[in-house]
Amino acid sequence: MAPSGNIRSIPVLLPLGGNLLTIPVLKLLLVTDFGAHPIMSCNPICKLVQNPFSLFLFSFSLSFLSLLFLVPTFKIPFHHPLFSPRLICYFRMGRVKLKIKKLENTNGRQATFAKRKHGIMKKANELSILCDIDIILLMFSPTGKPSLCKGASSSIEEVITKFAQLTPQERAKRKLESLEALKKTFKKLDHDVNIPEFLGTSSQTIEDLTSQSRLLQNQLSDVHKRLSYWTNPDKINSIEHLGQLENSLRESLNQIRSHKENLGKQHLMSLECHTQFQNGMHVPFRMGAEQQLSPLLWMPNNDGQHIMLPEEQNLLPHRDAECTASTSFGSYSGYFGAGKHSELSSSGQESGMNGILDELNGTASLRLQLAGQYPYLPGPYNLNLLNDTKFQPAAEMNIQKCPGDFNASGSFEAPKPDYDTGPHGWASNSGSCAVTMFDDHLYAQIVFCIHGGDVYLATTLRLSFTYCSAGDQLLESLARFVKLPVLQGHGGWQATALHPALGCPGLCIKTSTAQLHFVKEKIMTGEEEEEGTHRLMQA
Amino acid sequence: MAPSGNIRSIPVLLPLGGNLLTIPVLKLLLVTDFGAHPIMSCNPICKLVQNPFSLFLFSFSLSFLSLLFLVPTFKIPFHHPLFSPRLICYFRMGRVKLKIKKLENTNGRQATFAKRKHGIMKKANELSILCDIDIILLMFSPTGKPSLCKGASSSIEEVITKFAQLTPQERAKRKLESLEALKKTFKKLDHDVNIPEFLGTSSQTIEDLTSQSRLLQNQLSDVHKRLSYWTNPDKINSIEHLGQLENSLRESLNQIRSHKENLGKQHLMSLECHTQFQNGMHVPFRMGAEQQLSPLLWMPNNDGQHIMLPEEQNLLPHRDAECTASTSFGSYSGYFGAGKHSELSSSGQESGMNGILDELNGTASLRLQLAGQYPYLPGPYNLNLLNDTKFQPAAEMNIQKCPGDFNASGSFEAPKPDYDTGPHGWASNSGSCAVTMFDDHLYAQIVFCIHGGDVYLATTLRLSFTYCSAGDQLLESLARFVKLPVLQGHGGWQATALHPALGCPGLCIKTSTAQLHFVKEKIMTGEEEEEGTHRLMQA
DNA sequence: GAGGCTATCTATAAGTC
DNA sequence: TGACTTATAGATAGCCT
């Protein structure tokens, strides 16, 4: 060591060997027995220097003390024969080797943290400067106080976002694992995914719901308009339509008259047999109401409590009531045909709307938005909003099995929410992030599955699947902390979006029920599929 | 240094002084001129030991070399008079002090990073074990490869989320800054925030939209039901109601008859003066349609393109059409009273629904959900879904200035979506995080403002405002990267939610238009307000 | 690039104030 | 809590393979 003004390192000449050695002496306390008094109180001996030489001579020069003497360092000095009782030297130890395990002493943890925090932050800073890198060092003291150290050139969120952009190698590495995991999960499911619930609860995105809301609003206004025609026929400016409405009004009036009579009788009866037939008596009317209301049971049940299945509804014997409704609609056929699809409504007249709907009930996802074509109908056919937005890509797909009426007409124009215009919610913005993240084509097409608390992200282009987070546990956390929103992009099949939850992006994509099944099927069979040859799941 | 088998540290006795010093000799290369050949090729001299002593004698023992000679270390040895040309000693330097600045050499950066990365990660790990703390060390090599080091007990997202939970002190510190910033921004705005757009684009959450959809669906079913009563009076099982409907039908029939006559005349006229009056002739009908549709213009405009303001609508001269509608409604007063609020509808009869609505138009946010009370009304009053959910807390507030009819009735029951049942979107989960984050009451109530690319988060309990992110720039980033979803919780006024975007939570809260204005007003006047004494903004 | 080498530089244990 | 002490444990610069 280079000498300095205050010499504390003292080279010592060993009497027993030919070598010169240095002896560490931090603080040499000379204690004499002049006062015959304990030296131990001065400084506790922590540890003696371990030294292979039992005795040596050393000279030293300290600013506060200077002496020459013999001292054993090999053993506790007191026992050595050469040890002078009048001269006792204590070495206060310097640093000792620390076992890396949790410090049980709370104060020790605090002190150690304070020191090492300083050190590690200095190192982090040096590293960021020396190597010009992005670095984030975030830690919490044992008391919970956070400390953040970051490189000068970047912000924490930038770095974390960057971190989430895994390298292609890392993504590729996870591909196989993920495929296996996904297969396993699909196998594990001994029942089908409850898709209405799945889509209705976890998979709704801002854009989804926004478009849904817009559709509902439009429908509502339509229905209001239609309703207002009844109360306010002045607004109808077509004589034929006025005539039709007039006929309907007359018909309704006639119905009312006969119904009033029935009601009167029923009222008497119900007064007589109130306790016995309280429920039974009103069945015809209750059924009628259900027939009108039943479509609501098909709506996304946002409470997730219960969704009535089509089968349940079909069990209700309300066919008669439906016929009544059809009759009433029939008097409006002229108005039905006011839209673009008069040929459909007239050709569909025979099987009836209800027949088509029955078909639709069988294929839950094949629910299209027909309200635009039937402005006056109060029927159930125009309430299927959720699935309709999901089903946009159907047009691009190779539809192999479809209810005949639909395929024949060939022109179901589901009102398409324009996802591309105007400012979007965060989904769109995140989506643009994802483009960066998944800019290689292999990962451009992704399906997101959530079921039973597990989150799966899957690429679909090659039907290979990959976790797209920074680590497997991230997905678990994502699933635990947030229910991943599923984002709608340009066609449910294509869109990807970055989920920035907790700084660890996951991938989300909106897909249709059919597509989900399709993918699942493909996974199970291990089939490879080329882009553009997707077909619909057969219900 | 303690001696070891291979002694490399050699104590040297200085000839010129009385002290003993150690001289570091890592590798002593003895080069003789036996071959008269350059020594430089053996090892480049990087740096000579800086030593205050110009000459000294040193003995040494190395396993591969042993000699005794004079060597100047103070200067380049070659020039020293005592330097023997036959014996040249090169010291290969050990570590040199490194200036902390960016290493210009790319390879040097790489090498340094590799070494120091190892070191810092080791230190981070040690620290996490020793002190049992959460720690995240994330860095990118100069080549962009990420490295993550974290404590054993925690995941990265947990730590980052925890980090976002700023200490109260830190939050308090930002309070003043933020208040000032918010004031400044509001002052800077020479126009009002376009609140419908603001609410309609950036502030819609999954839950928001879900409840909105649910309400719309309910309304739609209601309207369908109402419509079906017209076409299908069989479903009405009350004789009085049947009678009322019958009267309405008759009235409508009469209207139709007279309208038909009018239409006939108009038709003739329009045929005559087609080119001249093409637009003008249909004004009465177009106005009627607008009257029905106008509420839609109040709906969240998800395209963000244009939102018609109430003033614009009021400019339209459609009072006549409204009166017509009122007349038609009037014949249904019996049905109006079927709900809970018959006293309201009858007392409100004089000023009329439209009068109330005009009031509402003045205070944009005072749009309540009335559809439930007026099942048969096709009017515009039940389309205000967005604001209605926002306005739930109105009941808890001390409403000081309200349209009289509303205050008198005192029991507006906006259908409250039950956010507590069933599976939620990610919003709810995040919301629960926020409870942790803002568990002190001072920050429990928060308003979130976004405008002009700036994001503001504000506590409302004391009308103090604070940035709630980990750093100011986080908010900027949040605003840039994602449009913060605004989350609906239990009452728009109360709810807070953690936004985990980019790992750096921000605070989001859904608030009503009026509340936003209210807060703004309070900020501008610097008024302090106690909890529970909020009043509505006066339009 | 990874790892080894050596001597140094640096961080820090234990203790005191 | 942080500053100070000292000696040492550990990290690492510059070099090599």
Side-chain angles (χ1 to χ4, degrees), chain B residues 147-437:
Chain B
S147 302
L148 175 68
C149 177
K150 63 180 185 62
S153 59
S154 53
S155 65
I156 177 171
E157 66 268 28
E158 283 175 51
V159 178
I160 288 172
T161 305
K162 189 173 164 189
F163 175 62
Q165 300 170 11
L166 292 178
T167 61
Q169 299 96 297
E170 283 168 312
R171 296 211 300 276
K173 204 179 67 186
R174 296 183 183 281
K175 214 168 97 172
L176 277 178
E177 303 165 19
S178 312
L179 178 55
E180 288 310 308
L182 196 56
K183 274 188 180 182
K184 218 163 70 184
T185 297
F186 272 136
K187 270 180 187 152
K188 204 172 62 189
L189 300 175
D190 48 4
H191 58 86
D192 271 343
V193 176
N194 186 342
I195 284 159
E197 184 185 318
F198 157 61
L199 292 174
T201 55
S202 305
S203 311
Q204 291 188 8
T205 66
I206 300 275
E207 295 189 356
D208 235 0
L209 289 163
T210 301
S211 60
Q212 185 180 337
S213 286
R214 218 179 309 149
L215 284 171
L216 281 169
Q217 287 157 19
N218 290 338
Q219 290 184 358
L220 201 50
S221 86
D222 278 354
V223 180
H224 274 290
K225 202 162 131 193
R226 272 180 271 151
L227 190 52
S228 76
Y229 284 130
W230 289 84
T231 58
N232 219 7
D234 295 350
K235 278 180 245 152
I236 300 175
N237 54 6
S238 150
I239 296 179
E240 306 110 280
H241 296 164
L242 268 180
Q244 288 166 4
L245 184 58
E246 192 178 354
N247 291 337
S248 286
L249 284 170
R250 284 190 214 283
E251 199 170 315
S252 290
L253 269 178
N254 292 336
Q255 283 184 29
I256 280 183
R257 281 190 208 102
S258 61
H259 186 48
K260 257 165 96 176
E261 292 170 20
N262 285 336
L263 262 188
K265 291 177 198 163
Q266 281 170 12
H267 186 64
L268 284 174
M269 281 172 71
S270 69
L271 283 179
E272 289 168 9
C273 323
H274 187 263
T275 49
Q276 283 159 293
F277 299 101
Q278 191 168 22
N279 297 319
M281 284 311 293
H282 294 276
V283 163
F285 313 108
R286 277 179 52 243
M287 282 203 298
E290 269 160 3
Q291 181 254 329
Q292 291 298 331
L293 290 170
S294 60
L296 283 184
L297 301 171
W298 273 100
M299 297 308 289
N301 183 340
N302 292 306
D303 291 333
Q305 303 294 16
H306 176 67
I307 293 174
M308 187 180 271
L309 297 174
E311 289 74 18
E312 299 180 51
Q313 291 184 61
N314 287 339
L315 292 178
L316 297 175
H318 54 77
R319 176 60 71 177
D320 286 352
E322 284 181 357
C323 287
T324 311
S326 291
T327 309
S328 185
F329 299 161
S331 65
Y332 259 53
S333 59
Y335 244 106
F336 294 162
K340 296 180 193 168
H341 295 275
S342 55
E343 76 289 353
L344 174 65
S345 67
S346 53
S347 75
Q349 194 79 13
E350 196 163 286
S351 67
M353 282 310 293
N354 295 307
I356 292 174
L357 286 172
D358 284 345
E359 290 248 25
L360 284 177
N361 283 347
T363 58
S365 59
L366 278 174
R367 307 183 71 78
L368 301 179
Q369 169 58 270
L370 302 181
Q373 287 82 33
Y374 303 96
Y376 275 61
L377 254 64
Y381 44 81
N382 59 348
L383 291 173
N384 307 299
L385 291 163
L386 196 65
N387 285 320
D388 123 53
T389 58
K390 291 199 165 39
F391 221 70
Q392 286 172 36
E396 305 157 21
M397 293 170 135
N398 189 2
I399 301 177
Q400 296 189 348
K401 189 151 186 175
C402 247
D405 288 85
F406 283 166
N407 228 4
S409 79
S411 60
F412 280 81
E413 297 186 8
K416 182 162 183 167
D418 51 342
Y419 294 101
D420 292 327
T421 59
H424 290 322
W426 66 276
S428 302
N429 292 283
S430 302
S432 65
C433 291
V435 172
T436 314
M437 183 168 172

Side-chain angles (χ1 to χ4, degrees), chain A residues 67-288:
Chain A
L67 82 160
L68 183 65
F69 69 111
L70 285 167
V71 64
T73 58
F74 179 52
K75 285 281 186 184
I76 303 288
F78 308 95
H79 314 309
H80 199 277
L82 290 181
F83 173 72
S84 161
R86 305 178 78 113
L87 298 168
I88 299 177
C89 182
Y90 293 89
F91 295 90
R92 194 180 68 170
M93 285 307 297
R95 183 177 178 180
V96 294
K97 187 172 173 75
L98 187 67
K99 178 109 194 293
I100 300 298
K101 63 187 280 290
K102 179 179 172 180
L103 298 171
E104 295 305 331
N105 182 343
T106 306
N107 291 334
R109 277 205 301 275
Q110 300 268 11
T112 296
F113 176 79
K115 288 182 173 183
R116 285 182 169 246
K117 183 188 96 171
H118 181 73
I120 198 173
M121 286 178 78
K122 186 162 171 252
K123 285 215 170 288
N125 196 49
E126 285 178 5
L127 187 52
S128 83
I129 294 171
L130 284 171
C131 304
D132 193 33
I133 58 162
D134 291 327
I135 189 167
I136 292 293
L137 174 61
L138 172 61
M139 53 195 160
F140 287 84
S141 79
T143 57
K145 189 182 161 191
S147 301
L148 175 67
C149 178
K150 63 180 184 62
S153 59
S154 53
S155 65
I156 178 171
E157 67 268 29
E158 283 175 45
V159 178
I160 288 171
T161 305
K162 189 173 164 187
F163 176 61
Q165 299 171 10
L166 291 178
T167 60
Q169 299 96 298
E170 283 168 312
R171 295 212 301 276
K173 203 179 68 186
R174 296 183 183 282
K175 216 169 94 172
L176 277 178
E177 304 166 18
S178 311
L179 178 56
E180 288 311 308
L182 197 56
K183 275 188 179 181
K184 218 164 70 184
T185 296
F186 273 134
K187 268 176 189 154
K188 203 173 61 187
L189 299 175
D190 48 3
H191 58 86
D192 270 344
V193 176
N194 185 342
I195 283 157
E197 186 185 315
F198 160 62
L199 293 175
T201 54
S202 305
S203 311
Q204 291 188 9
T205 65
I206 301 274
E207 297 187 358
D208 234 359
L209 288 164
T210 300
S211 60
Q212 186 181 335
S213 285
R214 219 178 311 151
L215 284 171
L216 281 169
Q217 287 157 19
N218 291 338
Q219 290 183 0
L220 201 51
S221 86
D222 278 353
V223 180
H224 273 289
K225 204 160 131 193
R226 270 180 273 149
L227 189 51
S228 76
Y229 285 131
W230 288 83
T231 58
N232 219 6
D234 295 349
K235 278 181 240 150
I236 300 174
N237 54 6
S238 149
I239 295 180
E240 306 108 281
H241 295 164
L242 267 181
Q244 288 167 1
L245 184 59
E246 195 179 353
N247 291 337
S248 287
L249 283 169
R250 284 190 214 284
E251 198 170 317
S252 289
L253 267 178
N254 292 335
Q255 284 186 28
I256 279 184
R257 280 190 207 101
S258 62
H259 186 47
K260 258 165 97 176
E261 292 169 20
N262 285 336
L263 261 188
K265 292 177 198 161
Q266 281 170 9
H267 186 64
L268 285 174
M269 283 171 70
S270 69
L271 282 179
E272 289 165 10
C273 323
H274 186 263
T275 49
Q276 284 157 293
F277 300 100
Q278 190 168 22
N279 297 319
M281 286 309 294
H282 294 276
V283 162
F285 313 107
R286 276 180 53 246
M287 281 202 299

Side-chain angles (χ1 to χ4, degrees), chain B residues 22-94:
Chain B
T22 59
I23 289 289
V25 180
L26 267 185
K27 196 178 283 179
L28 193 57
L29 296 176
L30 177 61
V31 184
T32 71
D33 61 352
F34 296 155
H37 276 328
I39 350 130
M40 306 305 283
S41 61
C42 292
N43 272 315
I45 296 176
C46 296
K47 188 181 156 193
L48 288 173
V49 173
Q50 298 295 316
N51 193 301
F53 306 97
S54 60
L55 287 175
F56 55 92
L57 178 72
F58 73 114
S59 65
F60 58 92
S61 163
L62 293 179
S63 60
F64 66 99
L65 192 62
S66 183
L67 81 162
L68 183 66
F69 69 111
L70 286 167
V71 65
T73 58
F74 179 51
K75 284 283 185 184
I76 304 287
F78 309 95
H79 312 311
H80 198 276
L82 292 180
F83 173 72
S84 160
R86 307 178 77 112
L87 299 167
I88 298 179
C89 180
Y90 292 89
F91 294 91
R92 195 179 68 169
M93 286 306 298

Side-chain angles (χ1 to χ4, degrees), chain B residues 506-525:
Chain B
L507 252 199
C508 314
I509 186 177
K510 177 176 165 181
T511 185
S512 75
T513 301
Q515 286 161 345
L516 197 65
H517 272 298
F518 172 66
V519 169
K520 174 182 167 182
E521 192 182 303
K522 291 300 165 200
I523 294 165
M524 297 313 290
T525 59

